[in-house]
Amino acid sequence: MFGREHSSSHEPDGSGPAPYPDQGKLIATSSGRRLSFRRAPRWFRAVTALVSVLLVGAVAFGGYWAWRLQSNIVTSDLSAGGQRSEGAVNDSTDRLQVLVLGTDTRSGANGQYGTEDQSSGYGQSDVMMLLDISADNSHVNVISLPRDLLVDVPACTDKKTNQKYPEQKDAQINSAMAQAGIGCAVDTVNKLTGLEVDHFMMADFNAVKELSNAVGGVEVCVSDAVDDPDSGLRLPKGTSQVQGDQALAFLRTRHGFANGGDLGRIKAQQAFLGSLTRKLKSDGTLGNPQKMLTIADTVTKNLTVDSGIASAPALLTIANRLKNIDPANVNFITVPTVPAADPNRLSLDEPAASNFFAGLRRSADLTQPAPAGTESAPPTVPSAPAYDKSLQPITVANGTNVAGRSTAIAATLTSAGFTKVNRVQGPPRTQTMVYFSSGFADVAADVAALVGLPASSVQQVTNVQGVQLYAGEDFATGDKPAPAPAPANSGDSSGTVVAQTAQDQTCQAANPAG
């Protein structure tokens, strides 16, 4: 009575039981008809299967690399207690400052370069460079801070142990992170420059070796053959490709270049980075995802960063900002320095260093002149000094390269009432400065005004007694120092000339005594 209808006479409406096994899945065609998947052309089924496999593979590949790069990264605190006044930056669009450090630690894979007791605490910063990227990505400055530079290290707290370390005066800058960690190095650079570093990246010896291998070597040039047994660098005269241990030796050698000091090493490091930049650009590496993944894997295995960039996407954001920059706009600069009292150490060359930092704080474009009215005005001489000029200890240091010049300068001070004047011979320096110890700021201001120096040429230090007028080559004649000349190759009001750009192909002067 209730006979079973033949389902084959009706199109399924989707509300009944599943279709018979031999019908398979239904597929819509361009004419509106639906076909069984099993009856679809073989090419269609093959393409569908291939696309499915590729999609699954892409997701798995991306997930694997995200996990791998993320697991490589080690993090540390950005600060060791220093106060910050700026908020977080947008790494994609804001001006960005990244402190790049190379550590001399001998732990782990770096043990082949010495024993752990040769690198105290967290290790010392073998390389210290501040990477400064303008908001529009049109200017990049790579500012080298010599490891031998004497600076004031602020009080720091080791975030791992909560141990506090007091402020240090005239300490070597590369020792800043040895006790309290990388954050203390960041705080020290902030104090020195007046900037606020946004991120840091620290790499060890092994990172240089593996990166140079990953890119197939980096081209370098030396004026004469170099054979430095301390670093292991051995190069013939002219151009060579270095990678692995030789690349590391090229960056670390102290005795191989110039006069065997830190500044010669810095020039070699800048030339190496310039050559690496040109190679990455010419090879199209920065625009090739597969090559970038290989380099990212190599670098992150030997990298410590702050939590703000502790992910592969964050690191790639910075890399993407750099990929289209013209190497001619990548400026390598060394902070202005002069020899310290210890000839193996360096001090800031003032006022050039202060002017440079002021220019850097204004803009990443160092060719921009200072805004009108921002120049330091000469200090004024009080009409009625609150001290007895005849009792003030004044020293004239002769750094003019002119024998007996301190006598003439001392006579100028004596005629103005400063009769307690001593004279000493100092190492040659470019510009005249006035230094003073605590309690003598007013006397130093008067001495500076007497010889026409601006306030930026007056600095408090701890290693003088009273006031010291350090006469430079600009004070070789006359009763006032000559005005500082403008830089020859730019409108840079900071007084600092760019040493080289990433476009320049330079040859390092070999140390004849090396």
Side-chain angles (χ1 to χ4, degrees):
M1 180 176 178
F2 300 99
R4 181 176 172 184
E5 295 185 7
H6 295 287
S7 61
S8 60
S9 64
H10 301 280
E11 288 290 332
D13 63 5
S15 61
Y20 291 120
D22 63 349
Q23 285 183 282
K25 294 181 180 178
L26 297 174
I27 304 169
T29 67
S30 61
S31 64
R33 297 178 60 194
R34 290 181 292 176
L35 298 175
S36 166
F37 179 80
R38 291 189 176 183
R39 293 176 183 175
R42 288 185 178 180
W43 66 266
F44 183 85
R45 285 181 287 170
V47 169
T48 301
L50 178 60
V51 169
S52 299
V53 170
L54 289 176
L55 287 173
V56 172
V59 172
F61 178 81
Y64 165 75
W65 275 104
W67 167 82
R68 176 163 175 165
L69 295 178
Q70 189 65 49
S71 62
N72 284 345
I73 297 173
V74 177
T75 64
S76 185
D77 291 295
L78 180 62
S79 172
Q83 298 298 312
R84 299 182 66 87
S85 60
E86 299 175 2
V89 298
N90 185 320
D91 292 343
S92 299
T93 58
D94 290 341
R95 184 182 177 187
L96 197 64
Q97 278 131 11
V98 182
L99 184 62
V100 179
L101 300 162
T103 176
D104 67 356
T105 180
R106 270 76 171 182
S107 60
N110 301 289
Q112 61 181 299
Y113 303 107
T115 58
E116 288 198 42
D117 60 0
Q118 292 179 292
S119 177
S120 59
Y122 290 97
Q124 295 177 316
S125 49
D126 212 37
V127 175
M128 185 177 281
M129 294 180 172
L130 183 61
L131 174 66
D132 180 31
I133 308 172
S134 66
D136 62 1
N137 298 338
S138 62
H139 296 88
V140 175
N141 300 310
V142 183
I143 301 135
S144 293
L145 300 163
R147 58 173 293 170
D148 292 340
L149 181 62
L150 298 178
V151 299
D152 293 341
V153 177
C156 293
T157 300
D158 184 343
K159 295 295 184 69
K160 290 184 179 179
T161 64
N162 288 324
Q163 185 173 349
K164 299 181 184 299
Y165 295 91
E167 180 182 11
Q168 302 177 63
K169 295 287 188 180
D170 290 326
Q172 212 171 317
I173 195 170
N174 73 327
S175 67
M177 77 177 188
Q179 292 181 321
I182 305 171
C184 193
V186 172
D187 291 346
T188 300
V189 171
N190 289 343
K191 178 180 176 68
L192 177 70
T193 63
L195 299 166
E196 290 190 6
V197 172
D198 301 305
H199 300 296
F200 72 79
M201 299 179 183
M202 186 182 76
D204 58 18
F205 294 148
N206 208 47
V208 175
K209 290 174 52 178
E210 294 195 10
L211 176 59
S212 62
N213 285 330
V215 300
V218 177
E219 185 178 277
V220 298
C221 177
V222 292
S223 63
D224 295 283
V226 175
D227 186 354
D228 177 21
D230 290 337
S231 66
L233 180 64
R234 292 177 177 82
L235 290 176
K237 178 181 178 179
T239 301
S240 304
Q241 291 276 338
V242 294
Q243 64 185 87
D245 285 322
Q246 282 296 284
L248 178 61
F250 186 87
L251 294 174
R252 293 191 65 221
T253 182
R254 185 181 184 91
H255 307 295
F257 304 126
N259 64 353
D262 199 30
L263 297 180
R265 172 167 51 188
I266 284 176
K267 288 183 179 180
Q269 292 168 350
Q270 293 170 340
F272 181 94
L273 291 177
S275 181
L276 176 61
T277 300
R278 294 193 300 274
K279 179 160 191 175
L280 293 177
K281 291 283 288 185
S282 63
D283 289 351
T285 300
L286 294 177
N288 185 314
Q290 182 58 51
K291 290 183 178 180
M292 280 299 296
L293 281 175
T294 301
I295 291 177
D297 185 43
T298 298
V299 171
T300 54
K301 285 188 296 186
N302 304 280
L303 192 68
T304 301
V305 299
D306 63 279
S307 59
I309 51 173
S311 68
L315 292 173
L316 288 174
T317 294
I318 298 176
N320 283 333
R321 292 188 62 171
L322 298 172
K323 70 179 183 181
N324 294 322
I325 291 177
D326 185 343
N329 291 331
V330 180
N331 300 319
F332 292 104
I333 303 165
T334 303
V335 170
T337 61
V338 293
D342 179 347
N344 295 316
R345 300 290 178 262
L346 297 168
S347 297
L348 290 177
D349 184 9
E350 297 292 4
S354 293
N355 291 340
F356 167 66
F357 292 140
L360 197 63
R361 290 192 294 271
R362 286 193 302 270
S363 172
D365 181 3
L366 293 174
T367 65
Q368 294 299 311
T374 61
E375 293 83 1
S376 300
T380 58
V381 181
S383 57
Y387 58 84
D388 185 345
K389 286 186 176 182
S390 65
L391 300 179
Q392 308 311 310
I394 311 291
T395 302
V396 176
N398 184 10
T400 67
N401 269 326
V402 176
R405 177 61 182 153
S406 58
T407 301
I409 297 173
T412 299
L413 295 173
T414 301
S415 64
F418 294 103
T419 55
K420 192 177 180 181
V421 181
N422 291 317
R423 303 186 304 276
V424 297
Q425 186 66 37
R429 59 170 299 133
T430 304
Q431 293 178 292
T432 300
M433 284 289 295
V434 173
Y435 300 108
F436 67 93
S437 57
S438 178
F440 288 88
D442 51 352
V443 183
D446 291 351
V447 170
L450 182 64
V451 296
L453 288 173
S456 59
S457 297
V458 182
Q459 182 181 3
Q460 181 174 350
V461 296
T462 58
N463 57 349
V464 302
Q465 181 181 3
V467 175
Q468 181 187 86
L469 173 58
Y470 199 133
E473 294 172 353
D474 59 342
F475 204 179
T477 61
D479 56 3
K480 288 181 173 59
N489 67 341
S490 75
D492 177 6
S493 62
S494 68
T496 298
V497 177
V498 173
Q500 55 188 305
T501 72
Q503 187 63 40
D504 299 329
Q505 301 182 38
T506 59
C507 211
Q508 304 311 303
N511 179 14

